[in-house]
Each structure stands twice: as C-alpha cells, then as structure tokens.
C-alpha cells in the first residue's frame, strides 16, 4: 500500500486531505512525493514561522536533543525558564504556563478566569463571553468557547458557562455582559478559522473598558495571531490594549508542539502548586526551538513582515475576481468571486499551497519568505482568481 491507501485504511478520517504527500522542504518550498515543488503559503497552519528546516531552529532543537529530550516538571530546566523570561520581557506579562497546543493554552486561560471569578466575585460568576464565528479549539471546553454551532452538534453536552455575542456589536456585547454573571471576555483580535476578520478598534476598546469596569478577565486568544504573524509580536499590540491573559501556540514552537498561557498582573498568582499541570508542558526541545524563533522576531524583522503584507495587499487588491482583502500582517483573507475551493485547487496544480477560512482563501506564509518567492506565488493566485 502507498501512503494514501494506508492513511485511508488506518488513520481516523477526521481530515479532508488534499491528494498530496509531503516528503521534504526548505524554507517556503515543500517537496511532494510526486517529485514536484510547492510554494507553501500555509506554514502548517501558521506553525512553521521560519518555514521548513530553518537552519537556526534545527540547530537549536538538535543541541537540546543531544542534552536531554524530556524530564518531568518536578525539576527545573533552563529552556523553560529562559523562554518564560523572554515572553514576559517582550509582553509585560508576569508569568507563563506551558502546554502542548492551542486548545490546551486556552483551557488554562479559561481555568485562570474561572478561578479568578470564583475567588473575587463569587462561585456563580463563571460565564465567559466569546464571539460568534470564533475558534478556540477542539476539546469540549474550548468547543463550548467556540462561537460556531456547527462544531457543537452531536457533541453535546459541552462545558457550560459560555455565551456568544456578534463581533463588532458594542450594544449586544454590553447587554450580554449585563445579563450574565461573567468572569471573562475571550477574543481573537483577528478571527482565523472564522474567516480572517480583524476586530474593529472601537469594539476592542469597548471590550477593554468593560473588562476594567466589571472586573472581568480579558483573554486574548493569540494561538494563530501571535508570534509575529500580524507584524507585531502579538496582535493585541496593534490595538493598544493590555489583556490579562494571552494564550498562544501554533507559531511559537516553529514546528514543534508548544502552547503558552501568559498571565498578567491580575492573575499572576491564580495558580498554586497542584492546580494545573502538563506532563509534556515546557518540553525542553520544544522550548529551545521557541527561543530560537522568538529571539529572531525583532522589531526590524517584524517591519519586514509588514512590508511583505503590504506587498500582498498591493498585488491582489482590485485584481480581477478579487473582491476584498481582510486580515492583519501575514494573516490574510481573500474574498474571491470564484469558490475559494476552486482557487485553492487551481493554485495547487500550479505549485502553490493556500488555505481557506469559511468563504475566503487564506494565506499564512512563513514569515521569512523571500519577496521574489512570494511575488511568484501571488501571480499564480491572481491567475487562479481571474474570471
Ligand atoms: C488553531 C487555533 C486553536 C487550537 O489550537 P490547537 O493547537 O489545534 O489545539 C485555538 N485558537 C485559535 C485562534 C486557533 O487558530
């Protein structure tokens, strides 16, 4: 059996895979078992921050593998402490809990908010407000947080205590906060899976204001928007707000599984020994990779990310068959006249890998993609969208 056949027989069919087997890669270029090369504008869903086989990252990971791959969280390890220090210094957050994925990073954010509510407002102040079209993960609790009914069906009952309100509707938000005993508001500043929608500044300002007035924990889910993706280290930095909790994952590890929940002043003491944990959390190999990634997300590098984002917008805006471009930085949604899926398939045939989010074509290129390679891919996208 070849890989396609084996996968179909033995792997749980939770993914609608493309008929492509990846066998290798370098930077933004991936190789398929068909012998063809592809320009990767998906980065393993915003994970491969510096593309495939980035030399510095590989060296950092290998060096740690040669020392030791894992120990338990009963002992101290320097990659864990160093990475936590870096994250706090770059964000102003006070301490960090490490896990292995975005859903887990959000689970911890939710636990922090619930405990804050219970201790400071009362046991019945457990409701968390999230937005319609949001995506926060696949565990039962993060599914409950996810404001998309179609993900919920047949998995009921979910964790209780989540209410959803439409993005960018300030009145509805106020009403929702008033009508529920809340402990937190949780948002993606740019909704990823929900269609690459950046929230309005005014709406975000209102959320920050409400959180302050009502003593609510403001959670920024930066699993996808974080780690330089939007042209700032974290997307909340575009909006001039200070969340109480920032969760992240995807691009942080640069290709290895790593989740982080950063806790601000209000909740920095919310966990005491025994209240949370993760066997693999802060894995030294993953943390070493993350240190190599974070240390290169300098202001200068992030400016280049914004320049490339501008290049994408300049090239695609107003092109035949393209209605509008959404998103922030190198997290880009393209509303096409043609079905998004049709565009994706055309691009793949021409050697460019792109994603979808709802009815949009979604681009999440490696942040270090060369401008020439990016331009080449954009020409093919334009061709694919043309009516
Ligand atoms: C991908 C994603 C998650 C879930 O992350 P996993 O690592 O798949 O658990 C949560 N929130 C957002 C905003 C995401 O984009």
């Amino acid at each position: 059996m070849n890989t396609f056949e084996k996968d179909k027989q033995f792997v749980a069919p939770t993914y609608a895979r493309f008929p492509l087997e990846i066998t290798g890669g370098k930077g933004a270029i991936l190789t398929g078992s068909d012998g063809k090369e592809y320009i990767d504008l998906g980065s393993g869903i915003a994970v491969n921050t510096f593309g495939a086989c980035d030399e510095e990252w590989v060296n950092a990971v290998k060096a740690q593998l040669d020392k030791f791959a894992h120990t338990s969280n009963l002992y101290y390890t320097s990659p864990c402490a160093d990475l936590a220090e870096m994250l706090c210094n770059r964000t102003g957050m006070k301490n960090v809990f490490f896990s292995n994925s975005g859903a887990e990073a959000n689970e911890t954010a939710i636990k922090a908010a619930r405990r804050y509510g219970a201790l400071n407002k009362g046991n019945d102040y457990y409701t968390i407000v999230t937005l319609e079209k949001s995506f926060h993960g696949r565990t039962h609790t993060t599914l409950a947080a996810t404001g998309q009914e179609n993900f919920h069906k047949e998995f009921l009952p979910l964790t209780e205590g989540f209410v959803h309100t439409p993005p960018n509707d300030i009145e509805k938000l106020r009403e929702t906060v008033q009508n529920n005993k809340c402990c937190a508001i949780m948002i993606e500043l740019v909704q990823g899976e929900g269609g690459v929608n950046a929230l309005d500044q005014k709406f975000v300002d209102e959320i920050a204001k409400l959180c302050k007035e009502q003593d609510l924990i403001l959670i920024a889910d930066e699993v996808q928007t974080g780690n330089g993706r939007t042209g700032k280290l974290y997307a909340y930095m575009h909006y001039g707000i200070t969340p109480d909790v920032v969760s992240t994952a995807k691009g942080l590890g640069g290709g290895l599984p790593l989740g982080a929940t950063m806790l601000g002043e209000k909740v920095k003491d919310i966990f005491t020994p025994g209240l949370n944990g993760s066997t693999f959390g802060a894995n030294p190999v993953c943390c070493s990779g993350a240190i190599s990634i974070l240390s290169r997300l300098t202001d200068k590098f992030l400016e280049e990310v914004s320049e490339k984002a501008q290049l994408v917008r300049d090239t695609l805006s107003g092109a035949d068959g393209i209605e509008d471009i959404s998103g922030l930085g190198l997290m880009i949604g393209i509303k096409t006249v043609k079905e998004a899926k049709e565009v994706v398939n055309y691009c793949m045939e021409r050697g460019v890998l792109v994603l979808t989010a709802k009815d949009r074509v979604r681009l999440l290129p490696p942040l270090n993609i060369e401008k020439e390679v990016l331009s080449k891919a954009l020409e093919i996208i334009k061709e694919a969208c043309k009516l």
Side-chain angles (χ1 to χ4, degrees), residues 101-103 106 135-137 188 221 223-224 250:
S101 67
N106 285 336
F135 183 84
H136 297 297
E188 297 156 88
D221 176 349
V223 172
Q224 192 164 152
K250 290 197 169 94

Side-chain angles (χ1 to χ4, degrees), residues 46-309:
V47 167
N48 301 324
T49 307
F50 285 81
C53 293
D54 170 71
E55 209 175 295
E56 268 191 67
W57 181 83
V58 168
N59 287 340
V61 166
K62 276 187 180 161
Q64 183 56 43
L65 267 176
D66 284 336
K67 290 180 194 158
F68 65 100
H70 174 80
T71 180
S72 74
N73 276 305
L74 299 175
Y75 309 108
Y76 294 93
T77 60
S78 68
C80 169
D82 291 345
L83 178 59
E85 179 191 33
M86 274 176 108
L87 285 169
C88 290
N89 283 346
R90 303 270 315 256
T91 59
M93 294 284 147
K94 300 302 176 195
N95 58 45
V96 186
F97 178 84
F98 290 110
S99 53
N100 315 289
S101 67
E104 284 175 290
N106 285 336
E107 289 270 351
T108 293
I110 291 162
K111 281 178 82 172
R114 288 265 166 97
R115 185 161 156 85
Y116 182 88
L119 292 180
N120 295 282
K121 304 171 69 131
N123 279 329
D124 47 346
Y125 282 79
Y126 55 71
T127 299
I128 297 176
V129 180
T130 70
L131 300 181
E132 290 169 10
K133 292 196 278 182
S134 60
F135 183 84
H136 297 297
R138 300 283 193 166
T139 62
H140 258 76
T141 296
T142 56
L143 264 187
T146 295
Q148 302 189 55
E149 294 294 326
N150 56 319
F151 283 108
H152 295 175
K153 285 180 304 189
E154 287 111 39
F155 295 116
L156 305 175
L158 302 178
T159 307
E160 61 179 301
F162 289 89
V163 291
H164 312 295
T165 190
N168 301 324
D169 186 335
I170 291 175
E171 277 318 304
K172 281 262 171 64
L173 172 73
R174 279 207 196 109
E175 238 177 74
T176 308
V177 168
Q178 226 149 48
N179 295 339
N180 293 278
K181 290 184 173 171
C182 297
C183 64
I185 301 177
M186 179 168 176
I187 54 170
E188 297 156 88
L189 289 149
V190 185
Q191 296 186 321
E193 309 302 311
V196 202
N197 317 305
L199 296 183
D200 295 346
Q201 178 73 51
K202 265 198 178 150
F203 184 65
V204 174
D205 287 342
E206 186 65 23
I207 290 172
K209 195 171 132 215
L210 266 174
C211 286
K212 206 165 230 168
E213 279 171 16
Q214 309 277 327
D215 191 18
L216 305 173
I217 300 301
L218 173 47
I219 304 171
D221 176 349
E222 298 244 18
V223 172
Q224 192 164 152
T225 52
N227 315 299
R229 175 56 51 191
T230 67
K232 299 252 189 210
L233 190 60
Y234 291 96
Y236 76 79
M237 294 168 176
H238 287 282
Y239 287 87
I241 58 163
T242 308
D244 300 300
V245 179
V246 178
S247 58
T248 191
K250 290 197 169 94
L252 177 62
L256 282 171
L258 182 63
T261 310
M262 297 178 241
L263 304 170
E265 187 60 41
K266 232 168 154 170
V267 285
K268 68 177 196 290
D269 299 319
I270 208 72
F271 293 119
T272 54
L275 288 185
N276 208 14
S278 165
T279 300
F280 284 114
N283 173 275
V285 177
C286 301
C287 286
S288 297
I291 289 168
S292 140
I293 298 288
L294 265 188
S295 64
R296 284 181 286 158
L297 298 178
T298 59
D299 290 344
K300 183 172 174 292
F301 180 85
L302 294 174
E303 256 170 54
E304 287 166 24
V305 170
S306 299
E307 280 169 25
K308 283 181 243 185

